[in-house]
Amino acid sequence: MTNTTKWFLLGATLVSMAVVFVSAVIPVAYEQALVNLLVGELAALTLAHSTYRVSSGKQASPLAAAIAVLSGIVLFLSPVLIEPVDPILSVMFAAGAVVTVGGLVGVLGRVLGSEESRQTGAERISRNAGN
């Protein structure tokens, strides 16, 4: 489960990083470009943090996962509320869905993760030290 969570979070991080640059490729309204930049950057930071924690053998941060889910929902809904232009609508629907699912995978990894991923840092260190 940890390996799947790690790779899915990494993919969602890369998608959220790409969202930041979508406005440079597809002409959109200023408001949409601002949402892509700010929310995409926030999603990239929180997903990258969760990816780092899962890759280090720790649980994903619940706050980071919640922010990623909220960011994904905002990215998903933003073109409908701001300016429903055909290419950006499709791109943002897909990107918002991936970011939202990435946050949910972080939450599921935390809840359904292995016993090793539920250990505290001190428990992991003492186990690795042979105590």
Side-chain angles (χ1 to χ4, degrees):
M1 177 77 184
T2 302
N3 227 5
T4 305
T5 303
K6 174 178 62 175
W7 287 109
F8 200 88
L9 284 170
L10 179 63
T13 302
L14 295 175
V15 167
S16 61
M17 288 171 58
V19 163
V20 173
F21 299 104
V22 163
S23 302
V25 179
I26 299 173
V28 295
Y30 170 76
E31 295 85 4
Q32 182 66 51
L34 193 58
V35 167
N36 288 0
L37 177 67
L38 296 175
V39 178
E41 190 174 346
L42 181 63
L45 288 170
T46 57
L47 287 166
H49 176 69
S50 294
T51 304
Y52 167 74
R53 287 185 57 89
V54 169
S55 297
S56 300
K58 301 173 187 168
Q59 292 180 328
S61 166
L63 180 61
I67 291 172
V69 169
L70 185 62
S71 297
I73 292 170
V74 169
L75 290 173
F76 186 84
L77 294 177
S78 66
V80 173
L81 299 174
I82 295 173
E83 183 186 34
V85 180
D86 187 36
I88 194 70
L89 194 64
S90 302
V91 169
M92 295 310 294
F93 276 179
V98 169
V99 171
T100 303
V101 172
L104 291 174
V105 165
V107 170
L108 287 176
R110 184 170 177 87
V111 173
L112 301 175
S114 64
E115 185 61 36
E116 181 179 319
S117 69
R118 289 192 187 124
Q119 293 177 342
T120 64
E123 290 171 337
R124 254 191 313 281
I125 291 170
S126 72
R127 185 188 48 128
N128 291 339
N131 295 335

